[in-house]
Amino acid sequence: MVFVDKYEEHDSVLVLLDLILLQPDAFRHVIFSKASFNVHWKLSLFFLLADAYYEWANIKSLDTDTTTGRFQFHVIETQFYRTVALVFLDMVSFFLVVIGILLIKEKFDKRAVFSVDCKLRAVMLSNYGKLLYVMVFIWTPYNNLYSSLVGLFVFLSNCQAIRVLYNSEGYVFAMVTVLSGLTVQSLTGTSLRHWMMSS
């Protein structure tokens, strides 16, 4: 089966709108297009910083100087760097689990075999919804409903990317794969945060 990329001639804004609508053809274009081969690393760094900023901004235990009432900026800066490191380790654990499951799947089912770079690109680029965390924090800080909706959107986007990568598979395999990655990511993040608080 050969797919014709209808987005080759479209403006990138239209591709982005269709990505937001979770259109499979838009995901296929972004994952397999030659134009997106090197941009996924830069975008992943941007997604990492957006995710880390949102998590860091929600930390309520900022130390304040009680005599002057001002924030101790070195403490805030240190917390930000710690948060970036924690979010990076969370992201790596998610990527490792998802890529590992996809590699195991390909070992048993040889119909569709992709390079690790292609799998990584699909999972990395499907995290574009994390940019919405920044907007959620700016417009409605500390609102768990909107941040949960953004998390659901990122989850569905990850599922759609895996579903597009393996064209014949349904949502069940994609959902189990992403849920496994999110479970390990959550366990890793919780244990790392607990370890950092105790030290």
Side-chain angles (χ1 to χ4, degrees), residues 32-163:
F32 296 113
S33 172
K34 300 265 189 243
S36 66
F37 273 19
N38 294 320
V39 75
H40 62 284
W41 295 105
K42 296 172 190 169
L43 285 175
S44 288
L45 179 64
F46 198 55
F47 302 154
L48 168 76
L49 290 175
D51 199 7
Y53 175 76
Y54 179 75
E55 189 169 323
W56 170 74
N58 280 320
I59 295 174
K60 296 191 171 59
S61 62
L62 294 176
D63 294 333
T64 57
D65 186 0
T66 55
T67 59
T68 63
R70 296 186 319 182
F71 288 108
Q72 296 176 351
F73 288 106
H74 69 280
V75 173
I76 295 171
E77 184 179 6
T78 304
Q79 283 181 338
F80 179 72
Y81 293 139
R82 278 185 173 182
T83 305
V84 169
L86 287 172
V87 170
F88 174 75
L89 292 173
D90 286 353
M91 229 181 213
V92 167
S93 65
F94 175 75
F95 291 155
L96 287 175
V97 169
V98 170
I99 299 301
I101 291 172
L102 296 178
L103 287 171
I104 291 169
K105 179 213 180 313
E106 288 180 356
K107 203 168 207 90
F108 294 108
D109 183 10
K110 305 271 189 211
R111 286 180 292 167
V113 178
F114 298 101
S115 67
V116 174
D117 187 50
C118 185
K119 293 181 197 71
L120 196 57
R121 185 171 51 251
V123 177
M124 284 179 166
L125 292 176
S126 65
N127 283 317
Y128 67 93
K130 290 187 175 185
L131 295 175
L132 296 173
Y133 280 129
V134 175
M135 289 185 256
V136 165
F137 183 74
I138 290 171
W139 287 317
T140 57
Y142 312 115
N143 191 325
N144 289 335
L145 172 66
Y146 293 126
S147 61
S148 298
L149 288 174
V150 171
L152 177 65
F153 179 74
V154 171
F155 169 75
L156 292 174
S157 179
N158 286 329
C159 290
Q160 186 72 304
I162 291 172
R163 188 171 161 261

Side-chain angles (χ1 to χ4, degrees), residues 179-190:
L179 282 174
S180 301
L182 289 174
T183 303
V184 171
Q185 179 182 10
S186 176
L187 292 173
T188 303
T190 304

